[in-house]
Amino acid sequence: MAYRLLIFDFDGTLADSADWFRYGLNHASRRYGFPSLDEETFARLRGHDNRTIIRHLGVPAWKIPLIARHLRRLVSTEADRIRLFDGAADLLHTLHRRGARLAIVSSNTEPVIRQILGPRTAALVHDYGCGVSLFGKARTFRKVVARSGIPADQTLCIGDEVRDIEAAAKAGLDSGMVAWGYATPDLLRARGPTLFFNSMDQIAALLPQTDIAA
């Protein structure tokens, strides 16, 4: 399949934010009354989908938007603690040179994402769909595709969680999951993504190697 629109998740896919996320959850736990996570428990939960994790924490549905808002406020003051995965910026530059239209759909905010990417890399992204609710990605995927003018069958959603696979399927889009993010590779493969990537180079290989822009 020749993909022309690549929609990336951010945290866990482009940004190495797992340690910060555990810190942020534990910060929120003191305010919203759910158990904090030690390193061992956090690692164990990587093998489960988001709904199972929420049940494990005992968080009622009405608290989820409040916790998400708390995390967004917290990360807006601490974005300098989060770094991109090695090779992530180079990947985006390579894909852009090869003619891909790039988008990011994330629960994180656009200013934070732009700060972590840095101005030069952030400018390569054609569309930001940010502040997405926990299970609201499918709707944002559809909006990004519509704004791009690129057919759905030439679009790939790249992420690191089960909900990314589910949202892509709900939006009628292909999904590509990465091995280095939050959810374990075994869990992701079991949910049947269209593609699975073990390295940044495998994503770059989706597009021909002839660069069309400097």
Side-chain angles (χ1 to χ4, degrees):
M1 175 61 64
Y3 295 110
R4 296 170 54 207
L5 172 61
L6 303 180
I7 306 176
F8 284 87
D9 174 57
F10 187 68
D11 292 288
T13 302
L14 296 173
D16 187 2
S17 49
D19 288 344
W20 187 92
F21 183 62
R22 183 169 73 89
Y23 155 78
L25 277 180
N26 287 342
H27 191 281
S29 72
R30 297 190 288 272
R31 179 166 184 175
Y32 294 103
F34 60 90
S36 62
L37 296 172
D38 58 29
E39 188 172 350
E40 181 181 351
T41 303
F42 186 73
R44 187 169 65 251
L45 290 176
R46 290 181 64 229
H48 300 279
D49 61 31
N50 291 87
R51 292 174 180 83
T52 302
I53 294 169
I54 290 168
R55 286 197 297 270
H56 173 86
L57 296 175
V59 176
W62 66 269
K63 281 189 179 182
I64 293 173
L66 300 178
I67 295 168
R69 193 176 306 124
H70 180 90
L71 292 174
R72 284 195 291 267
R73 284 198 301 263
L74 186 62
V75 76
S76 69
T77 66
E78 301 187 359
D80 58 344
R81 295 179 55 175
I82 300 173
R83 298 285 182 268
L84 296 177
F85 283 109
D86 289 344
D90 289 342
L91 171 65
L92 295 180
H93 283 267
T94 296
L95 293 171
H96 182 265
R97 286 196 306 271
R98 295 180 183 177
R101 184 177 178 91
L102 304 176
I104 291 177
V105 170
S106 173
S107 57
N108 215 326
T109 66
E110 183 173 340
V112 167
I113 292 172
R114 284 182 174 274
Q115 179 181 341
I116 296 169
L117 288 175
R120 184 167 170 265
T121 302
L124 305 178
V125 178
H126 297 88
D127 200 342
Y128 288 86
C130 298
V132 180
S133 63
L134 186 61
F135 297 109
K137 275 192 167 183
R139 181 171 60 252
T140 306
F141 283 160
R142 293 190 194 101
K143 290 179 179 178
V144 170
V145 173
R147 288 194 292 261
S148 76
I150 293 173
D153 64 1
Q154 296 177 26
T155 300
L156 180 68
C157 302
I158 300 174
D160 71 309
E161 295 184 60
V162 169
R163 66 187 177 115
D164 296 319
I165 302 173
E166 294 172 342
K170 187 175 180 181
L173 304 171
D174 287 355
S175 59
M177 295 297 105
V178 303
W180 55 84
Y182 176 69
T184 62
D186 286 346
L187 173 63
L188 294 173
R189 286 194 180 96
R191 298 306 175 95
T194 311
L195 298 170
F196 191 85
F197 302 109
N198 288 298
S199 70
M200 301 278 181
D201 288 343
Q202 289 180 343
I203 301 176
L206 290 171
L207 276 74
Q209 293 188 19
T210 302
D211 294 347
I212 67 170

